[in-house]
């Protein structure tokens, strides 16, 4: 039974279809990453899933609670972290967390706040006014605030947008740590490396539809299999093509042969054996693996 069950969601704004028959299931304790270009409908879907926006069709259940029928009850089991940090910049980090703790009626909000500040590496800055925090610190504080009350599920809408590479890496560590503690995480992102690093499952949203889904490894296969590129001297190239004919080599450029690796290690070993048997030595070789960038280009081009 998935902990997040999104079925056949539809949404139109006036005459424009934003979401069309979107279905997603997320298993407890996993990280689901929703990828898509700007305007694909990622944030709209997240607002519907969290009960902030009504859909025009379909249903959402979170921990078996129907969001459309009883959003307040469903909202007790999750926390939603929007694209832009919702911290109060005139308060300190500690004051922000204590305030949220009181609003959520947690026992001993100060103790909870101090624990979260330590968890997110903000304890030394707890008494500083948030307006003096860096972008990465504000984002970490915002994420810490979403954990007040110990929600089982976290919805993160582009959590690392605008962060520098170092701050992004720090936040990735926090997200992985949250997953290891048993949290279920549903995040949207435009950063392909982020999806590759964090996701157990990726869904690709285009024109309001999920057009591909799978693990990062499965998604990369959509852009093609891994390939072996071999470079030969001009005098060896012709013979190399002949002896490797069973591997269906493609000449990509003068002196450069490319071979698809359907069974990567086995194919590479067999190629090297054939070359060795014929006393042929490439001047260079490289394994080319598709990236999520390649997948993004493949899918956005249809």
């Amino acid at each position: 039974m998935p902990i997040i069950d999104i079925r056949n969601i539809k949404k139109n704004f006036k005459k424009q279809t934003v979401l069309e028959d979107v279905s997603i299931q997320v298993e407890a304790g996993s990280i689901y990453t929703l990828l898509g270009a700007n305007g694909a409908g990622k944030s709209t879907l997240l607002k519907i899933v969290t009960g902030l926006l009504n859909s025009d069709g379909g249903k959402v259940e979170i921990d078996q609670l129907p969001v459309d029928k009883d959003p307040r009850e469903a909202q007790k089991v999750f926390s939603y972290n929007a694209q832009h940090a919702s911290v109060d910049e005139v308060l300190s980090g500690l004051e922000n967390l204590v305030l949220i703790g009181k609003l959520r009626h947690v026992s001993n909000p100060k103790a909870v706040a101090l624990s979260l500040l330590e968890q997110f590496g903000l304890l030394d800055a707890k008494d500083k006014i948030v307006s003096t925090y860096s972008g990465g610190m504000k984002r970490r504080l915002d994420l810490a605030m979403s954990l007040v009350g110990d929600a089982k599920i976290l919805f993160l809408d582009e959590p690392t947008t605008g962060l520098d590479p170092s701050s992004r890496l720090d936040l990735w560590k926090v997200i992985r740590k949250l997953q290891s503690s048993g949290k279920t995480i549903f995040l949207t992102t435009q950063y392909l490396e982020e999806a590759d690093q964090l996701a157990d499952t990726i869904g690709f949203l285009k024109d309001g539809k999920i057009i591909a889904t799978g693990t990062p490894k499965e998604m990369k296969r959509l852009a093609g299999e891994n390939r072996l590129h071999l470079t030969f001297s001009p005098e060896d190239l012709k013979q190399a093509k002949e002896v490797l004919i069973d591997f269906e080599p493609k000449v990509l450029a003068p002196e450069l042969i490319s071979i698809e690796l359907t069974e990567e290690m086995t194919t590479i070993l067999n190629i090297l054996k054939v070359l060795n048997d014929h006393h042929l030595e490439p001047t260079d070789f490289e394994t080319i693996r598709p990236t999520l960038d390649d997948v993004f280009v493949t899918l956005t081009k249809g």
Side-chain angles (χ1 to χ4, degrees):
M1 179 72 69
I3 196 168
I4 302 171
D5 193 2
I6 303 165
R7 293 192 183 272
N8 312 113
I9 292 297
K10 299 176 177 65
K11 185 64 182 178
N12 299 305
F13 289 116
K14 295 184 178 179
K15 293 183 179 180
Q16 181 182 2
T17 299
V18 179
L19 297 172
E20 184 177 349
D21 201 29
V22 173
S23 295
I24 296 171
Q25 285 73 48
V26 182
E27 298 301 320
S30 68
I31 297 179
Y32 182 95
T33 301
L34 186 65
L35 271 177
N38 279 334
K42 301 188 299 296
S43 294
T44 299
L45 178 62
L46 214 52
K47 287 176 182 176
I48 290 171
V49 171
T50 55
L52 299 177
L53 184 67
N54 292 327
S55 71
D56 294 327
K59 66 175 184 176
V60 177
E61 289 188 356
I62 296 179
D63 203 17
Q64 300 183 51
L65 299 167
V67 174
D68 59 333
K69 294 180 181 177
D70 196 351
R72 289 194 176 185
E73 196 63 30
Q75 286 165 357
K76 291 178 182 178
V77 300
F78 70 79
S79 186
Y80 171 54
N81 193 267
Q83 278 188 33
H84 305 290
S86 55
V87 295
D88 190 328
E89 298 204 357
V90 302
L91 301 178
S92 69
L94 178 60
E95 288 169 336
N96 267 278
L97 284 165
V98 169
L99 176 61
I100 293 297
K102 289 178 179 178
L103 290 172
R104 294 185 179 172
H105 307 292
V106 301
S107 59
N108 201 343
K110 185 173 181 180
V112 171
L114 290 171
S115 175
L116 286 167
L117 286 164
E118 183 176 15
Q119 180 181 344
F120 283 83
L122 295 169
L123 197 56
D124 291 341
K126 66 182 176 63
D127 296 318
K128 292 181 180 179
I129 301 302
V130 171
S131 61
T132 66
Y133 281 20
S134 68
M137 292 170 70
K138 288 177 185 176
R139 209 64 176 120
R140 293 207 307 275
L141 178 62
D142 195 38
L143 190 53
M145 289 166 64
S146 70
L147 291 179
V148 175
D150 198 30
K152 294 164 66 172
I153 303 164
L154 297 178
F155 291 99
L156 310 178
D157 195 4
E158 300 193 10
T160 63
T161 296
L163 298 186
D164 61 74
S166 178
S167 297
R168 186 172 294 131
L169 288 173
D170 288 341
L171 201 54
W172 289 354
K173 291 177 185 176
V174 170
I175 291 171
R176 289 193 197 99
K177 198 170 182 180
L178 290 171
Q179 183 194 20
S180 67
S181 70
K183 306 289 185 190
T184 302
I185 298 169
F186 186 117
L187 68 89
T188 71
T189 185
Q190 295 181 61
Y191 297 115
L192 304 177
E193 185 185 5
E194 186 159 285
D196 202 4
Q197 289 288 326
L198 295 176
D200 294 306
T201 304
I202 294 171
F204 194 92
L205 188 66
K206 180 190 176 186
D207 298 332
K209 299 177 182 178
I210 299 292
I211 61 170
T213 189
T215 65
K217 187 175 181 179
E218 289 168 343
M219 293 289 280
K220 289 173 190 175
R221 291 199 189 109
L222 296 175
E225 296 288 346
N226 296 345
R227 302 191 72 87
L228 180 65
H229 285 188
L230 298 158
T231 304
F232 293 92
S233 63
E235 55 270 22
D236 287 342
L237 181 64
K238 183 178 179 181
Q239 186 183 0
K241 285 165 55 182
E242 291 173 353
V243 301
L244 295 173
I245 192 68
D246 289 342
F247 299 97
E248 300 180 4
K250 292 183 179 178
V251 178
L252 297 185
E255 305 169 11
L256 178 62
I257 287 176
S258 177
I259 297 173
E260 187 176 285
L261 299 174
T262 50
E263 297 179 33
E264 185 167 332
M265 191 53 65
T266 301
T267 306
I268 289 174
L269 290 173
N270 289 337
I271 289 170
L272 294 177
K273 182 178 185 305
V274 169
L275 293 175
N276 184 62
D277 290 345
H278 290 83
H279 307 291
L280 287 168
E281 185 175 338
T283 58
D284 194 15
F285 67 92
E286 180 182 13
T287 303
I288 306 297
R289 294 180 173 85
T291 66
L292 285 181
D293 295 66
D294 301 318
V295 176
F296 193 93
V297 171
T298 299
L299 293 177
T300 51
K301 288 185 176 180

